[in-house]
Amino acid sequence: VNYILLGTVDTSVPKIDPDTGNYSADVLVNIQLYKIDMDFESAELVASVGPEIKTAFGTSDVIAANLALKKTFDEAINSLIYKL
């Protein structure tokens, strides 16, 4: 293994949006990509993303949370790839 990806995810409790009547959920993500050097037993930070907060809406709390997670990870991974 030459690389390791570490990250954290925090989600809010979905709430009803007063403007739309749908549920909204927020997700915060941090991701770091490290290159492992086995010769020196060290890790070098290659790229990082975050903290990023994304919000998604859904007809139920579960749908809103799942959409927010998907949206956040899709955009965070794309951002990480663009930095490489």
Side-chain angles (χ1 to χ4, degrees):
V1 175
N2 292 332
Y3 294 89
I4 187 165
L5 187 67
L6 299 175
T8 60
V9 178
D10 295 309
T11 61
S12 69
V13 175
K15 57 195 172 295
I16 295 178
D17 180 59
D19 295 330
T20 64
N22 287 324
Y23 285 87
S24 69
D26 302 318
V27 173
L28 177 124
V29 67
N30 289 294
I31 300 174
Q32 299 86 32
L33 178 65
Y34 291 92
K35 182 177 182 179
I36 307 298
D37 186 350
M38 297 306 287
D39 293 335
F40 296 105
E41 297 179 358
S42 64
E44 176 187 353
L45 181 64
V46 176
S48 65
V49 174
E52 287 192 10
I53 299 174
K54 302 295 178 193
T55 303
F57 297 91
T59 54
S60 73
D61 57 343
V62 173
I63 292 172
N66 287 341
L67 289 173
L69 285 166
K70 183 179 181 329
K71 178 181 179 179
T72 303
F73 276 110
D74 285 346
E75 293 183 19
I77 292 297
N78 284 336
S79 294
L80 191 71
I81 290 170
Y82 292 141
K83 291 183 177 187
L84 297 178

